[in-house]
Amino acid sequence: MDGRLSPMPAFAYEIDLEVRFRDLDPLGHVNHAVHASYCEQARIRYLRDVLGFTGDDVPMVVANLELDYRKPITFDDDLTVAVAVTTLGESSFTMAYELRADDETAATAETTQVVIDPETHRPTPVPTAWRERLVDHEPALD
């Protein structure tokens, strides 16, 4: 990979998040590591809303995370995180994120989620029910 994320997809799922004072660095910008937490919050809500997950049943791990920063996010910004599943593999899927501060792209990100068997802790196929829900929600996967 050349260090640049894939082109951003059309997003059918978005959430608004609050920028907390504790998220800021000494310059008044959201700390770079907090961007990953924003993606995590959006990912968990997506999984809950699209796949019906609860807090106890997320049998997957983040195998890869990439973030590109474009502009600072500050305390007074209205923050929206858009999420889409862009690829669906045998035991993994890729999620893309667009973090928007006051409707301007502040960062983009991508994660690769690997489904894990809870007993063996090894990769296992993406369940058929998940595939069906993801394809229903993400027309680009069809």
Side-chain angles (χ1 to χ4, degrees):
M1 188 161 223
D2 65 1
R4 302 207 58 99
L5 299 178
S6 305
M8 287 290 105
F11 293 98
Y13 188 89
E14 297 180 354
I15 66 164
D16 294 326
L17 295 176
E18 182 178 354
V19 176
R20 302 162 300 191
F21 182 76
R22 69 179 180 172
D23 297 345
L24 306 178
D25 64 18
L27 296 175
H29 304 140
V30 169
N31 179 277
H32 68 280
V34 176
H35 289 71
S37 294
Y38 291 157
C39 291
E40 178 184 55
Q41 289 178 58
R43 178 174 56 253
I44 295 303
R45 287 197 199 168
Y46 178 101
L47 295 172
R48 179 193 68 195
D49 294 346
V50 175
L51 297 181
F53 283 8
T54 66
D56 297 329
D57 61 0
V58 183
M60 66 184 74
V61 296
V62 174
N64 187 58
L65 165 67
E66 294 184 44
L67 273 159
D68 280 337
Y69 304 96
R70 296 189 183 175
K71 76 177 219 101
I73 300 172
T74 62
F75 184 69
D76 292 325
D77 288 336
D78 291 321
L79 177 63
T80 300
V81 182
V83 185
V85 172
T86 57
T87 60
L88 189 52
E90 178 63 27
S91 62
S92 65
F93 53 94
T94 302
M95 299 182 82
Y97 309 82
E98 185 174 69
L99 290 77
R100 301 181 196 130
D102 292 334
D103 294 322
E104 291 184 44
T105 302
T108 56
E110 233 176 47
T111 58
T112 302
Q113 309 298 128
V114 177
V115 181
I116 300 294
D117 181 294
E119 292 179 18
T120 66
H121 303 285
R122 303 290 307 157
T124 191
V126 174
T128 302
W130 294 11
R131 285 183 179 283
E132 291 170 356
R133 288 184 195 141
L134 289 170
V135 168
D136 285 346
H137 187 74
E138 303 285 355
L141 290 176
D142 196 15

